[in-house]
C-alpha cells in the first residue's frame, strides 16, 4: 500500500470541487451556500444528504466524508488508486515515494492498532463485573447506553489486565509505552498502566482512529480528569475532542459549540445536542481555531460564567486576533454561575439553551466587556490604558480592513459610554457624567455575565451607599481582604462567600485570594480560637508569598471600628456593599431554608439559625439602618 504525505492530501482536497464530484452521481440542488440531495447510500425520497464546502453528511443514515472518501466508497478500488485518479484529474503531480515516510506511517499504524486493542479491552471491562461501579457512575451522570456506545466508554481497572491482554495480541510493552498506555518502571520495578480505576473515553482522530484516551475518577481524588501523554500520534494542541462526530451534527445555520471539557460534550450529546467539541486540558490554540473555522464560520464558545471561564474567554480573544478574517468570527455564551451545559439544558430544555446560543455575544462585545473588568476605565489613567489596549488588540488583526472596523466599533463604544461631549462640560455635568460612566461600566461588565444575553434589557440600578470618603468596588475588596488578614479567626464564618469573590477579574487580588486559602486549608481542622492567635503568622505567610505591599496596605484598611459589634458583622457589612440586592436575597433564602429544616422544639431564632447566618442578618439590618461600621480613617487611606 502506498502512503501519502498528509500535506499532499490536503492540497488535493483543496483543488477538488466536492459538489462537482458528488454531483456526477447525485442530483444536487442549492440550499443556501450549500447543496442537498437524496443520499446515494440508502434509499430515501426526501433529501437528507447535504454537501458542504469540504465534506458531505447524511442526516438520515449518518454517512460522512470528503471528496476522496466519496469516490472510494462509491467507485471502489484502493485508496491509492483513488488518490492517483483524482490527482491526474486536477493536474497535481504525485510526490515521489519517501521510504522514511512509509516507515513512519507503518509505525503510526502499529501504534494505532495498539490503541484500538486497548479501546476494545477497556470497553469489555466496562461491561464485566468489575465495571459495575463505572456503569453506576455513568447512569448517575445521565449517560445512557446509546451515548456510552457512541463515545465508546470503557473502564480501566487497577491490575495488569491491560498489559497481559495486549501482550497476548502480540504487542510489546515498548509499543504500549510509545502510545502512552504504560508508565516507565521505577527502580527496577514493573511497568504499570498509565490509567487505572478510571472511566475511559477514547480520543479519536480525523480518520476515526484512536489517538489517546481520557480518564475520569469516580470520586473526588485528583486529578479528576487525566489525558494521555503526548505521543507520535497525540498532540493535544492540534486536536479537539469529538470534532469529527460534531461535524455531522452542524450546518451553516447551526454553529459548532466549544465547551470546557469532554464530559460536557458527552452530556450535551445525551441531551440531543451533538455539535459540541472541547479542547483537551489546554488553552485554545491557533490550530484549534483554524480547525473550528473549517466547519463553522462563527463557532460559539460556551464557558462557565465564573472567573476561570472568563479568563479562558479573554485568552481565546487574544489568540484569535491575529487570525481573524472577514467572514470568520467567534462568539461567546457565558453560562450562569454554578451551571454547566448539561445542568442548564436539563433545567431549561434544549429550546431555551439554543436561545442562549443565538444571543451569544460577538468577539468585539465580549472583549470590550472582559477588558473593562481588567482595566477599569473610570479614571483618566484607566481610560487611557483601556483605549491603548483596544487599539493594540485591533492592530493584532492582520486583515487591515477588518482591524480598522474593530477599532472603529470599539472607539464608538468607548466614547459613547466612557466620555462626554464639550456641551456637557460647559454645563458642568461632571458628577452626573461620572455616575453615567460608572453605570455604563457596570453595564459592560455585566453584559458578559448575564444569563439571558439580551443586550437591550436595562441593567438594574443598585442602591448607592456613601461612605465618609469616595467608595469604589476595589476599595471594598481591599477592606474585606484587610479584615481577614487581621482576623483570620472569622475565616470559617465567611469561607464560602469569600471563595465566590472575583475581585472584578483583578489577577493580583485573585492570586492573593488563592494564597489566603492555601494558608487556611493547610490546617485540616481549623478552630476559631487557634486561628485568632496566628494572625501574625498568617500575614507573614502572605508576605513570603510576595504580597508584602498588600499586607501592609490592606491591613490598615481592614482596621475598622465596628462600634462594639463582632468583627464578622463588619466583614459581612462591607461584603453586602458589593451587591446589596444579591446579598439581601441570599440572606432571605438562607433564612427560609433554615426555618424549613428546623427541629421540633426549637422556637427562637438563636436556636434555629446558625451563628454565621445570624451575623449576616445583623450586618444586613445594620447596613439598612446605616449604623456601622465606619470607613477607615483618613490616615489609613
Amino acid at each position: 500500500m502506498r502512503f501519502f504525505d498528509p500535506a499532499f492530501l490536503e492540497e488535493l482536497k483543496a483543488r477538488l470541487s466536492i459538489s462537482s464530484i458528488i454531483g456526477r452521481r447525485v442530483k444536487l440542488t442549492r440550499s443556501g451556500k450549500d447543496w442537498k440531495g437524496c443520499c446515494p447510500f440508502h434509499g430515501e425520497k426526501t433529501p437528507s444528504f447535504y454537501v458542504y464546502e469540504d465534506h458531505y453528511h447524511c442526516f438520515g443514515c449518518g454517512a460522512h466524508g470528503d471528496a476522496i472518501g466519496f469516490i472510494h466508497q462509491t467507485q471502489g478500488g484502493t485508496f491509492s488508486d483513488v488518490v492517483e485518479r483524482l490527482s491526474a484529474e486536477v493536474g497535481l503531480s504525485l510526490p515521489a515515494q519517501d521510504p522514511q515516510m512509509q516507515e513512519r506511517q507503518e509505525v503510526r499504524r502499529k501504534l494505532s492498532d495498539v490503541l484500538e486493542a486497548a479501546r476494545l479491552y477497556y470497553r469489555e471491562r466496562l461491561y464485566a463485573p468489575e465495571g459495575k461501579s463505572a456503569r453506576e457512575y455513568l447512569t448517575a451522570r445521565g449517560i445512557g447506553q446509546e451515548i456510552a456506545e457512541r463515545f465508546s466508554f470503557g473502564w480501566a481497572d487497577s491490575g495488569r489486565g491491560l498489559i497481559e491482554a495486549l501482550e497476548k495480541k502480540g504487542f510489546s510493552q515498548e509499543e504500549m509505552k510509545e502510545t502512552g498506555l504504560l508508565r516507565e518502571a521505577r527502580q527496577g520495578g514493573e511497568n504499570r498502566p498509565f490509567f487505572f480505576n478510571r472511566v475511559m473515553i477514547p480520543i479519536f482522530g480525523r480518520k476515526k482512529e484512536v489517538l489517546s484516551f481520557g480518564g475520569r475518577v469516580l470520586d473526588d481524588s485528583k486529578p479528576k480528569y487525566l489525558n494521555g501523554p503526548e505521543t507520535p500520534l497525540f498532540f493535544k494542541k492540534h486536536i479537539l475532542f469529538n470534532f469529527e462526530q460534531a461535524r455531522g451534527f452542524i450546518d451553516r445555520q447551526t454553529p459548532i459549540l466549544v465547551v470546557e471539557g469532554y464530559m460536557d460534550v458527552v452530556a450535551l450529546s445525551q441531551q440531543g445536542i451533538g455539535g459540541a467539541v472541547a479542547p483537551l486540558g489546554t488553552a485554545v490554540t491557533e490550530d484549534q481555531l483554524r480547525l473550528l473555522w473549517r466547519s463553522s464560520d462563527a463557532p460559539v464558545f460556551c464557558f462557565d460564567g465564573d472567573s476561570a471561564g472568563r479568563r479562558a474567554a479573554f485568552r481565546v480573544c487574544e489568540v484569535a486576533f491575529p487570525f481573524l478574517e472577514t467572514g470568520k468570527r467567534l462568539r461567546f455564551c457565558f453560562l450562569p454561575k454554578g451551571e454547566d451545559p448539561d445542568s442548564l439544558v436539563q433545567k431549561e430544555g434544549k429550546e431555551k439553551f439554543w436561545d442562549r446560543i443565538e444571543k451569544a455575544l460577538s468577539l468585539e462585545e465580549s472583549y470590550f466587556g472582559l477588558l473593562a473588568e481588567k482595566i477599569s476605565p473610570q479614571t483618566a489613567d484607566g481610560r487611557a490604558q483601556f483605549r491603548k489596549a483596544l487599539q493594540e488588540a485591533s492592530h493584532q488583526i492582520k486583515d487591515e480592513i477588518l482591524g480598522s472596523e474593530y477599532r472603529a466599533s470599539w472607539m464608538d463604544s468607548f466614547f459613547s459610554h466612557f466620555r462626554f461631549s464639550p456641551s456637557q462640560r460647559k454645563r458642568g455635568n461632571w458628577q452626573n457624567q461620572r455616575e453615567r460612566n460608572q453605570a455604563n461600566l457596570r453595564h459592560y461588565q455585566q453584559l458578559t455575565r448575564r444569563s439571558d444575553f439580551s443586550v437591550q434589557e436595562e441593567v438594574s440600578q443598585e442602591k448607592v451607599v456613601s461612605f465618609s470618603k469616595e467608595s469604589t468596588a476595589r476599595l471594598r475588596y481591599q477592606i474585606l481582604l484587610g479584615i481577614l488578614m487581621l482576623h483570620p479567626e472569622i475565616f470559617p464564618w465567611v469561607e464560602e462567600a469569600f471563595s465566590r469573590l472575583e475581585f472584578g477579574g483583578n489577577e493580583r487580588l485573585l492570586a492573593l485570594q488563592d494564597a489566603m486559602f492555601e494558608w487556611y486549608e493547610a490546617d485540616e481542622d481549623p478552630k476559631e480560637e487557634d486561628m485568632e492567635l496566628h494572625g501574625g503568622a498568617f500575614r507573614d505567610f502572605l508576605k513570603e508569598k510576595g504580597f508584602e505591599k498588600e499586607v501592609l496596605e490592606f491591613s490598615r484598611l481592614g482596621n475598622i471600628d465596628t462600634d462594639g459589634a463582632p468583627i464578622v458583622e463588619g466583614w459581612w457589612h462591607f461584603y453586602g456593599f458589593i451587591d446589596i440586592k444579591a446579598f439581601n436575597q441570599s440572606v432571605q433564602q438562607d433564612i427560609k431554608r433554615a426555618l424549613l429544616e428546623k427541629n421540633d422544639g426549637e422556637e427562637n431564632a438563636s436556636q434555629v439559625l446558625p451563628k454565621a447566618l445570624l451575623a449576616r442578618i445583623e450586618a444586613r439590618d445594620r447596613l439598612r439602618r446605616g449604623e456601622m461600621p465606619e470607613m477607615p480613617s483618613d490616615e489609613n487611606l
Side-chain angles (χ1 to χ4, degrees), residues 21-22 24 56 66-77 82 85-86 89:
I21 288 174
I22 295 178
R24 300 170 190 170
Y56 65 86
D66 54 27
I68 299 174
F70 184 83
I71 295 296
H72 194 201
Q73 291 184 63
T74 57
Q75 297 185 19
V82 173
R85 190 161 66 247
L86 291 174
E89 188 174 311

Side-chain angles (χ1 to χ4, degrees), residues 468-469 475 479 553 555-561 574 629-637:
S468 57
K469 289 187 71 75
L475 183 58
I479 292 171
E553 291 182 2
S555 294
R556 288 196 295 270
L557 292 172
N559 189 21
I560 61 171
D561 179 8
F574 284 102
E630 293 294 328
M631 284 286 285
S633 61
D634 290 353
E635 56 267 23
N636 282 345
L637 295 172

Side-chain angles (χ1 to χ4, degrees), residues 143-410:
I143 298 171
Q145 178 73 21
E146 180 186 348
I147 295 299
E149 288 293 325
R150 182 189 302 175
F151 286 93
S152 195
F153 274 96
W155 171 248
D157 52 31
S158 59
R160 293 177 55 83
L162 173 69
I163 300 174
E164 295 169 359
L166 295 187
E167 284 181 330
K168 286 180 181 178
K169 291 182 178 292
F171 300 118
S172 69
Q173 292 194 21
E174 276 303 313
E175 290 170 333
M176 296 180 214
K177 280 192 285 187
E178 283 192 71
T179 62
L181 292 173
L182 293 192
R183 294 180 187 269
E184 190 73 41
R186 294 179 182 176
Q187 299 179 347
E190 292 184 320
N191 293 326
R192 52 199 178 95
F194 185 84
F195 298 100
F196 55 91
N197 289 339
R198 288 179 182 268
V199 172
M200 301 296 293
I201 184 166
I203 300 166
F204 293 100
R206 293 187 57 197
K207 297 179 182 178
K208 298 187 178 180
E209 76 280 20
V210 182
L211 301 180
S212 187
F213 293 90
R216 206 260 190 220
V217 293
L218 301 183
D219 53 24
D220 292 327
S221 57
K222 303 294 183 182
K224 185 180 294 185
Y225 293 97
L226 180 66
N227 291 320
E230 294 206 339
T231 69
L233 296 180
F234 183 50
F235 301 94
K236 300 176 186 179
K237 294 181 179 181
H238 305 325
I239 299 168
L240 287 165
F241 176 75
N242 196 49
F243 180 70
E244 285 303 312
Q245 284 200 57
R247 292 176 71 181
F249 288 89
I250 66 172
D251 54 36
R252 296 304 174 191
Q253 287 74 45
T254 305
I256 195 167
L257 304 182
V258 186
V259 292
E260 295 192 41
Y262 47 74
M263 290 305 291
D264 290 327
V265 171
V266 173
L268 284 177
S269 294
Q270 182 67 48
Q271 300 298 330
I273 299 173
V277 300
L280 293 162
T282 62
V284 174
T285 66
E286 164 197 342
D287 288 339
Q288 290 169 337
L289 285 177
R290 286 183 169 141
L291 202 58
L292 291 167
W293 277 323
R294 285 179 52 191
S295 296
S296 180
D297 292 336
V300 177
F301 286 82
C302 193
F303 286 155
D304 294 348
D306 59 13
S307 57
R310 301 172 71 73
R311 287 196 294 270
F314 193 81
R315 287 194 297 269
V316 171
C317 294
E318 292 185 315
V319 171
F321 286 138
F323 308 103
L324 291 176
E325 300 176 5
T326 303
K328 299 297 184 185
R329 300 171 290 129
L330 296 179
R331 295 189 294 148
F332 294 86
C333 174
F334 295 95
L335 304 182
K337 291 181 182 179
E339 301 285 0
D340 57 34
D342 181 32
S343 67
L344 206 57
V345 175
Q346 290 193 51
K347 182 182 296 185
E348 298 183 342
K350 279 173 55 177
E351 187 174 338
K352 286 189 176 180
F353 181 80
W354 277 114
D355 284 343
R356 291 178 179 276
I357 300 301
E358 289 175 3
K359 294 173 183 175
L361 300 172
S362 66
L363 186 150
E364 59 263 37
E365 288 177 305
S366 300
Y367 187 72
F368 194 98
L370 292 167
L371 185 64
E373 295 175 357
K374 297 175 74 70
I375 306 175
S376 178
Q378 294 189 36
T379 64
D381 181 67
R383 288 192 292 274
Q385 291 184 52
F386 191 75
R387 282 185 64 186
K388 183 178 180 181
L390 291 173
Q391 290 173 343
E392 288 176 349
S394 69
H395 291 314
Q396 289 289 313
I397 302 173
K398 296 176 182 178
D399 185 323
E400 292 184 4
I401 296 176
L402 186 62
S404 176
E405 289 299 321
Y406 268 77
R407 186 161 54 254
S409 175
W410 282 332

